[in-house]
Amino acid sequence: MALILITGASTGLGLAAAQTLAAAGHEVVVHTRSIDGLPDLDLRGSVHGDLSLMDDTAVVAEQADTFGRFDAVIHNAGVYRDPGALQVNTVAPYLLTALMSKPRRLIYLSSGYHLDGSTDLDAIDFNETRVRPGAYEDSKLYETALAFAVARRWADTVSHVVDPGWVPTRMGGPGAPGDLEEGHRTQEWLATAPDEAIEPRTGGYWHHRRISRSHPAASDPDFQHELIGRLEAHTGVKLG
């Protein structure tokens, strides 16, 4: 059985993945913003902190490391039209990736909207405090590029990206047309399937267990290098 951390697991896809994986007998550690949001599941444990705050995110990384090396970390937490889109969707997964002990597998949740993200990195303001049109799209492009950068850099850690689709969660809204069940199955599979069942081994962009198209910039080593440099400068933490 695998030891798995899921961020943003109090509701939506994160909660659904935690329920399924815990029911299958895996050792699940969930992240929630506060202990009040802890789901009623048979868990290995929990970590807590506000991922819109860098100090809180660093504390989440410290808490997570007390459980030892994870078999998989599912970076599920995210916000949509929110002033903290870049902070929660890009900076937080970057910090957790850089600060935690390297897991065996990393799974980042992106979105088909990342295809509309801007490649103008000079325009990034990680500290923005207003809802900016396009911020969500940008944040998911950057998260996708981060995942692919990790896949290139870390030989002993598998890194994949999942587009779960537009599904009826609190973030997606009740009218979302996607299949909620399918929305969490791929990340569970990537976290637990035998190595030989996953092809490509690392660096895949997945939708419903099939490789899908990602933004060309996300796979560009130069774009990745510049993005990581800006994240390192903003956080004061190197990816390694």
Side-chain angles (χ1 to χ4, degrees):
M1 293 291 104
L3 176 62
I4 302 167
L5 170 66
I6 306 171
T7 67
S10 61
T11 62
L13 293 175
L15 175 58
Q19 290 170 330
T20 302
L21 291 167
H26 296 287
E27 296 183 280
V28 177
V29 177
V30 297
H31 155 264
T32 61
R33 187 171 181 174
S34 70
I35 197 166
D36 295 336
L38 193 62
D40 184 17
L41 298 173
D42 183 13
L43 299 170
R44 168 71 183 274
S46 60
V47 297
H48 310 281
D50 185 345
L51 297 185
S52 70
L53 305 173
M54 287 199 292
D55 287 348
D56 267 31
T57 304
V59 171
V60 170
E62 291 177 7
Q63 295 173 38
D65 269 349
T66 65
F67 292 93
R69 186 187 186 193
F70 284 92
D71 293 297
V73 175
I74 300 175
H75 288 285
N76 167 84
V79 295
Y80 185 43
R81 302 301 186 201
D82 186 281
L86 285 172
Q87 194 68 38
V88 175
N89 299 346
T90 303
V91 177
Y94 170 79
L95 271 176
L96 292 174
T97 300
L99 291 173
M100 286 177 58
S101 299
K102 294 178 182 177
R104 292 177 175 83
R105 300 181 183 182
L106 281 161
I107 300 110
Y108 300 83
L109 263 66
S110 184
S111 163
Y113 283 114
H114 92 280
L115 294 167
D116 297 322
S118 171
T119 59
D120 181 10
L121 296 178
D122 288 333
I124 293 180
D125 179 7
F126 289 120
N127 295 310
E128 62 188 14
T129 57
R130 60 185 177 85
V131 177
R132 173 179 60 83
Y136 177 76
E137 291 84 345
D138 294 349
S139 71
K140 289 303 183 179
L141 171 58
Y142 304 154
E143 186 174 15
T144 303
L146 168 63
F148 289 164
V150 171
R152 288 181 58 248
R153 292 183 179 209
W154 292 359
D156 295 331
T157 296
V158 167
S159 179
H160 290 285
V161 189
V162 174
D163 168 12
W166 181 16
V167 295
T169 61
R170 184 174 64 181
M171 188 169 81
D179 185 323
L180 181 61
E181 192 74 11
E182 285 291 343
H184 60 91
R185 292 301 188 191
T186 301
Q187 49 270 42
E188 296 162 8
W189 172 70
L190 288 169
T192 60
D195 291 340
E196 61 272 16
I198 302 171
E199 178 60 38
R201 172 184 173 272
T202 191
Y205 182 88
W206 300 84
H207 177 66
H208 296 177
R209 288 185 58 169
R210 293 180 181 274
I211 290 294
S212 189
R213 179 175 68 95
S214 58
H215 196 300
S219 301
D220 181 350
D222 292 335
F223 183 80
Q224 294 170 6
H225 179 76
E226 185 176 354
L227 173 65
I228 298 302
R230 290 170 187 264
L231 284 163
E232 289 177 344
H234 175 65
T235 63
V237 177
K238 289 192 172 296
L239 182 61

